Amino acid sequence: MRAYHLETLGTIDGIASRETDRPEPGPREILVRVRAVSLNKRDLLIMKGTYPLKAVPDVIPVSDGAGEVVAVGGEVTRFAVGDRVAGTYFPNWLDGRITPALFDQPGATLNGMLTEYARLDQEAAVRVPDHLTWEEAACLPCAGVTAWHSLTGGEPLTPGQTVLTLGTGALSLFTVQFAKMLGAEVIATTSSAVKADRLKALGADHVVNYAENPEWGLEVRKLTGGRGADLVVETNGPDTIEQSMRATALYGQIVLLITGNPRRSGIEISNAAYAASLATIRRVFVGSRAHFESMNRALALHGTRPVIDRVFGFDEVHEAFRYYESGVAFGKVVIRVA
């Protein structure tokens, strides 16, 4: 089989293709013929050596992938040959709260999915909805589960409440789709008129141009009759947390996904913004297998499909990484393996 390995940190060219023997599944493992993978920001950070979990030497990159089961170990009970599956982001986190003992991740401390065949523990995979293509199914494990967990893992979101999403990254697009699925009103932000139209087509009820409205938190309050958003999925952290706090309802929730960037090492909220608020700030680390399975049931019920920007071939891995790194994508960047 052919697989890509992270041979040299710091450069996309350090990801190299290599021929190797096809693995055989252990007693409680499944062998997956990978059909497609998708890229996430964490894949770039791991490649650059700046991710909190350091990559093991020569690791196979990329956490998100989907494919069909082609062989099973003798003790496997959860899957059969022919099943359509995706790997989980935290293979050992099945349900409940995460602990440090469960932090291992594919593409970092474990081999990932950028390979023709992946060997997974039977507990580290989920069935994917039948209506999704391989490329769509490969978009789910990181951005999809994170968005679902953000909306459903804290104080229950009820129909008619307001959700605020920031920008047009893949996670924010999932959040728009899921929030509408759950009956919420959605406000999104962007600086692009073209992207604003695409957000509305995806289901956003209102779009605020943050370039034209630097104090966009106040604009969100106007759109909600002064009340503010009940839940903010905060994907930019240091650059936007102040306005997110000002946009949040008195007892609202802020799901904080990013806490630092190259320009700012941490978040800072002014006294004026936080002293007048009783909002809860909640951190989310993607989600468990149970979150993934719950999300898949909702996707299947509503027939919802992830937004894909562009699909690359298995010989175009470097081009795919560079395109994703450029930040121009509206939706997921996918690599078709087979």
Side-chain angles (χ1 to χ4, degrees), residues 90-306:
F90 289 106
N92 300 315
W93 185 16
L94 306 184
D95 201 353
R97 291 185 171 184
I98 195 168
T99 67
L102 307 178
F103 279 174
D104 277 336
Q105 298 171 21
T109 56
L110 306 169
N111 276 330
M113 301 296 285
L114 196 56
T115 175
E116 290 181 323
Y117 292 90
R119 188 174 60 187
L120 304 175
D121 187 283
Q122 68 166 342
E123 303 295 342
V126 299
R127 288 178 176 81
V128 294
D130 292 337
H131 72 285
L132 298 182
T133 66
W134 290 123
E135 292 78 12
E136 292 166 339
C139 298
L140 302 177
C142 181
V145 174
T146 304
W148 182 255
H149 187 191
S150 296
L151 293 171
T152 64
E155 185 176 335
L157 183 69
T158 59
Q161 289 189 315
T162 301
V163 171
L164 171 64
T165 70
L166 308 184
T168 55
L171 194 155
S172 293
L173 300 185
F174 270 118
T175 302
V176 172
Q177 292 176 291
F178 291 155
K180 293 305 296 181
M181 185 189 297
L182 295 168
E185 181 178 29
V186 176
I187 302 173
T189 69
T190 183
S191 61
S192 164
V194 172
K195 289 183 177 180
D197 289 338
R198 296 186 71 179
L199 284 165
K200 290 177 181 177
L202 197 61
D205 298 283
H206 307 282
V207 179
V208 176
N209 188 313
Y210 61 80
E212 297 175 354
N213 298 277
E215 301 291 322
W216 47 264
L218 297 177
E219 188 66 22
V220 172
R221 287 198 167 275
K222 290 178 184 177
L223 290 169
T224 55
R227 191 170 57 85
D230 298 289
L231 191 152
V232 180
V233 180
E234 173 48 89
T235 51
N236 294 316
D239 294 334
T240 50
I241 187 65
E242 173 78 10
Q243 288 303 311
S244 289
M245 180 60 67
R246 293 181 181 276
T248 306
L250 182 62
Y251 280 95
Q253 303 176 72
I254 297 177
V255 180
L256 182 63
L257 301 175
I258 302 295
T259 58
N261 60 35
R263 298 175 304 279
R264 301 179 182 179
S265 60
I267 62 169
E268 183 175 328
I269 304 171
S270 71
N271 178 65
Y274 210 176
S277 174
L278 295 169
T280 298
I281 296 178
R282 179 166 58 92
R283 289 280 284 139
V284 163
F285 288 172
V286 189
S288 66
R289 193 183 77 190
H291 290 122
F292 201 159
E293 292 170 332
S294 172
M295 177 193 71
N296 282 346
R297 290 192 293 271
L299 286 169
L301 179 65
H302 292 272
T304 304
R305 297 179 181 274

Side-chain angles (χ1 to χ4, degrees), residues 1 22 33 49 56 67 71 76 78 99 112 134 140 151 159 203 216 242 273 293 310 318 328-329:
M1 72 171 192
R22 182 179 123 168
R33 176 69 165 104
V56 297
V76 170
R78 297 189 71 237
T99 67
W134 290 123
L140 302 177
L151 293 171
W216 47 264
E242 173 78 10
E293 292 170 332
R310 187 170 172 185
H318 294 159
V328 301

